[in-house]
Amino acid sequence: MSVRSKVIEAIQQIAKEQHVTLPALSDDLSLHETGFDSLAFAILVARLEDETGVDPFTISEDAAFPATVGDFVRAYENVPA
Amino acid sequence: MSPREIFALRDHLGAELKGRTISDAHDVVSLTDILSYTVLGGRLHELSGRAVLLKLSDQLRSGLAMIELDGIARRMLLCPPDLNPSHLEALIADAGIDAVVTDEPERWAETGVPLVVTAQLPLQATAPARTERATEWLMLTSGTSGVPKIAGHTLEALTGAIVAEGPARGPAPVWATFYDIRRYGGLQIFLRAVLSGGSLVLSDPHEALADHVARLNARGVSHISGTPSHWRKLLMSGSAAQFTPRYVRLSGEIADQAVLDGLKTAFPNSFVGHAYASTEAGVGFAVNDGLEGFPADYLGNRNGVEMKVVDGSLRIRSTRTAHAYIGRNAAPLTDSDGFVDSGDIVELRGDRYYFVGRRGGIINIGGLKVHPEEIEAVINRHPDVRMSRAKSRKSPITGGIVVADVILADGTDQVRVKEIRDQILEQCRAQLASHKVPAVIRFVEALDVTPAGKLARTDA
């Protein structure tokens, strides 16, 4: 499974658990518009770390948290395997 | 005070009750005529009036030495098996130790402790000793990472709850405990066996659980106690099916409804009860209605035990508490009114108090305080879950999140794991505030339990 589909699947799973109705997940959708709160993002990052072995937001101290879904996916894609 | 008014352990051990034994995985010792034998090589008189460190590698000799020393030594300090040896020096100084009872005399030759007495089996015949004084019992607290604190007890305080309950009905009980008898929970069972006219079957840390249960059966164990973690391990092991105790007792950790129900199912003909006790607060109470928590009307003065809740934690005043912390810089054990703060946080729901966790065990989730035990109790209610541990994990977004490690029942179909995970999360969301719902659930094969029988939380 590609990194992108892993990330999208995790977002959809957490949305289901948190009873969040997601809009269509396009790359330029702002993360704010997903309806996720900070707890939902914390869960997402933790689950993806377990699945992919990386947490791109802790690795680098000055990593800015992404603004859009596309940025978020790329943060995982850009981590060297 | 004349020595006649003091009761030591030997005064509860008459020869009139036949067939009483104390045993471990290797030896069986008769308690019936125990007063005519010595584990101390006949050197008990040398220990009269001394402050004795009891540092033995096994429980059997420890128990036999306690029987001999009580009423003769001025004080005795019980060393549990997991005591960090680097703390010994401080403990010896704090307790004013001037003698040691050991099975490794060569180790003590150069230590400066003036008297070293070797405990050995088989026992040797000796003339019975007579009680000289009320010996102070010193016990070490568990769960602290530094030097453990020394809590001072008397035999009267230690046996207060046993005497209050009165003798057991029916045939003399054969007691067993998963605890080590050098810890408060295990010592209570040792003392119950001695005072009740019964026998005791000791645990062995090197024995497989199935072998232990076979031994409990072979020795006819009728009464048995352990922590909820001990019991969960037994329920998971599949060994419980062959075992039919009359009385099953839990203490030392929160007994949640899941473990109480699990034991009731595994032992349908047994009486299942949980008790609240700690090294410092002594035995507080027993709960025998099969439900977790305790009735709110236990607060106030009940059978000489006074309890109140202040700032969420249970406070206890009674003649069964330890009387002091012992040592050079010992903190006061009680507040100015004589209440011991147990550090156990309780919550009133309806007409019952529920234990939610330890004050010192709080984890910080995004600035909010969370008791891991409260989360585990909800997870454990899922019928496929055997045991769980909640802890915090760093999060770059909220600072911390809750993660849970879960052991599923043996033989759980792997196909169902995802479904079970969803059900656990659904259950948590229905019953817990959102920040307490685990972000990640991991299914694991085992969870560490400390030598004191409690779920290990050191890495939380």
Side-chain angles (χ1 to χ4, degrees), chain B residues 387-400:
Chain B
M387 195 166 175
S388 63
R389 182 185 58 183
K391 54 186 180 180
S392 72
R393 170 163 148 190
K394 275 189 184 161
S395 163
I397 297 157
T398 55

Side-chain angles (χ1 to χ4, degrees), chain B residues 1-80:
Chain B
M1 187 168 31
S2 102
R4 282 180 160 212
E5 296 170 72
I6 302 165
F7 281 90
L9 283 180
R10 65 174 44 75
D11 304 306
H12 295 280
L13 284 159
E16 58 277 5
L17 290 167
K18 305 297 179 200
R20 302 180 65 185
T21 60
I22 179 170
S23 60
D24 64 9
H26 311 285
D27 295 283
V28 180
V29 172
S30 166
L31 282 175
T32 301
D33 46 5
I34 191 67
L35 302 183
S36 300
Y37 287 89
T38 175
V39 73
L40 301 172
R43 296 179 64 189
L44 179 63
H45 59 280
E46 294 176 52
L47 295 160
S48 169
R50 297 254 186 185
V52 181
L53 182 79
L54 205 56
K55 180 78 176 76
L56 291 160
S57 50
D58 68 302
Q59 297 184 68
L60 181 57
R61 280 176 294 186
S62 301
L64 294 167
M66 288 180 219
I67 291 171
E68 274 193 80
L69 286 166
D70 185 44
I72 304 293
R74 180 165 64 84
R75 49 170 51 163
M76 59 175 154
L77 172 58
L78 313 187
C79 296

Side-chain angles (χ1 to χ4, degrees), chain B residues 401-423:
Chain B
I401 50 167
V402 176
V403 298
D405 290 339
V406 174
I407 304 179
L408 290 178
D410 229 17
T412 302
D413 192 340
Q414 284 307 304
V415 179
R416 290 188 53 231
V417 164
K418 190 181 161 349
E419 175 194 333
I420 292 170
R421 184 195 312 261
D422 290 345
Q423 288 166 351

Side-chain angles (χ1 to χ4, degrees), chain B residues 318-378:
Chain B
S318 83
T319 53
R320 306 174 194 169
T321 67
H323 54 78
Y325 285 126
I326 309 295
R328 295 157 296 182
N329 302 307
L333 182 102
T334 66
D335 66 15
S336 53
D337 295 328
F339 279 87
V340 175
D341 180 356
S342 68
D344 287 311
I345 307 297
V346 294
E347 199 173 274
L348 182 64
R349 285 175 234 145
D351 56 2
R352 230 173 150 84
Y353 275 98
Y354 296 87
F355 290 98
V356 294
R358 300 272 313 150
R359 187 193 289 119
I362 287 172
I363 54 178
N364 189 324
I365 300 298
L368 297 164
K369 288 174 180 172
V370 175
H371 289 286
E373 296 94 332
E374 183 188 6
I375 300 165
E376 289 154 11
V378 174

Side-chain angles (χ1 to χ4, degrees), chain A residues 13-14 16-19 37-50 55 57-58 65 72, chain B residues 365 393-398 400-401 403 418 421-422 425-426 429 434-442:
Chain A
Q13 169 70 23
I14 292 161
K16 201 169 98 192
E17 288 170 12
Q18 302 282 325
H19 305 292
D37 59 10
S38 60
L39 181 63
F41 280 115
I43 295 172
L44 177 61
V45 171
R47 295 229 185 127
L48 286 172
E49 185 186 356
D50 285 353
D55 169 1
F57 312 109
T58 301
F65 200 75
F72 187 83
Chain B
I365 300 298
R393 170 163 148 190
K394 275 189 184 161
S395 163
I397 297 157
T398 55
I401 50 167
V403 298
K418 190 181 161 349
R421 184 195 312 261
D422 290 345
L425 286 173
E426 202 54 54
R429 269 193 295 276
S434 63
H435 66 284
K436 298 179 184 174
V437 175
V440 177
I441 290 178
R442 257 194 339 156

